[in-house]
Amino acid sequence: MVNKPIRDCFHTVTPYLIVQGADKLIDFLIKAFEARELNRTTDSDGFIRHAEVKLGDSIIECSERREQYPPMQNAIHLYVSDTDESYRRALDAGATSLYEPEDMPYGERSAGVKDPFGNHWYIATWLGTDK
């Protein structure tokens, strides 16, 4: 038996988001990007110590901020099947627009949003060609 260095469903790089309001972040990911919560552990106060959320074929981990782990903003590039629809759902879920959907010269239809926790999401659909 070969020992695998990566857990099933994970990739070599896995984003980890530390926010104030991790439960609300998970709700946002579910509403905006059709994510699915896989795992959640909480401390005695009910705050999320660790959670795993699946978006498409990838996992994002997250937790509630603590004194030794302050919240930090991140930038994430997220491939979706329909940029315009995902952009609209993200705005409906509480995000603010960074830029509206547009076809980019590098072959993607892309949009940008900032979630309620300060993270930037670059939503994209590959168009199949470089311009």
Side-chain angles (χ1 to χ4, degrees):
M1 177 180 209
V2 176
N3 186 17
K4 292 180 3 179
I6 302 171
R7 291 171 48 195
D8 287 341
C9 298
F10 281 74
H11 299 284
T12 302
V13 176
T14 302
Y16 199 106
L17 307 180
I18 301 171
V19 300
Q20 183 165 339
D23 56 336
K24 292 176 182 63
L25 171 66
I26 293 170
D27 291 343
F28 171 81
L29 296 174
I30 290 168
K31 291 174 187 170
F33 305 126
E34 299 178 319
R36 187 169 50 102
E37 184 177 336
L38 300 178
N39 179 32
R40 179 188 296 212
T41 56
T42 57
D43 62 19
S44 60
D45 294 324
F47 291 111
I48 295 175
R49 288 191 60 93
H50 179 83
E52 297 162 2
V53 180
K54 188 166 187 174
L55 285 88
D57 66 351
S58 298
I59 304 291
I60 289 183
E61 297 177 296
C62 68
S63 68
E64 185 71 31
R65 64 150 311 278
R66 293 189 291 285
E67 184 177 333
Q68 68 273 35
Y69 304 113
M72 59 184 82
Q73 288 76 43
N74 297 277
I76 299 170
H77 189 263
L78 174 66
Y79 282 108
V80 297
S81 60
D82 185 333
T83 296
D84 296 75
E85 177 64 19
S86 293
Y87 173 80
R88 184 196 57 74
R89 280 198 325 268
L91 295 179
D92 289 348
T96 57
S97 179
L98 297 172
Y99 62 94
E100 295 182 3
E102 62 181 290
D103 293 346
M104 298 297 188
Y106 46 85
E108 293 179 352
R109 181 151 181 85
S110 180
V113 298
K114 182 178 177 181
D115 72 23
F117 312 93
N119 300 299
H120 289 205
W121 295 85
Y122 299 101
I123 306 163
T125 304
W126 175 242
L127 298 175
T129 60
D130 291 323
K131 289 187 176 179

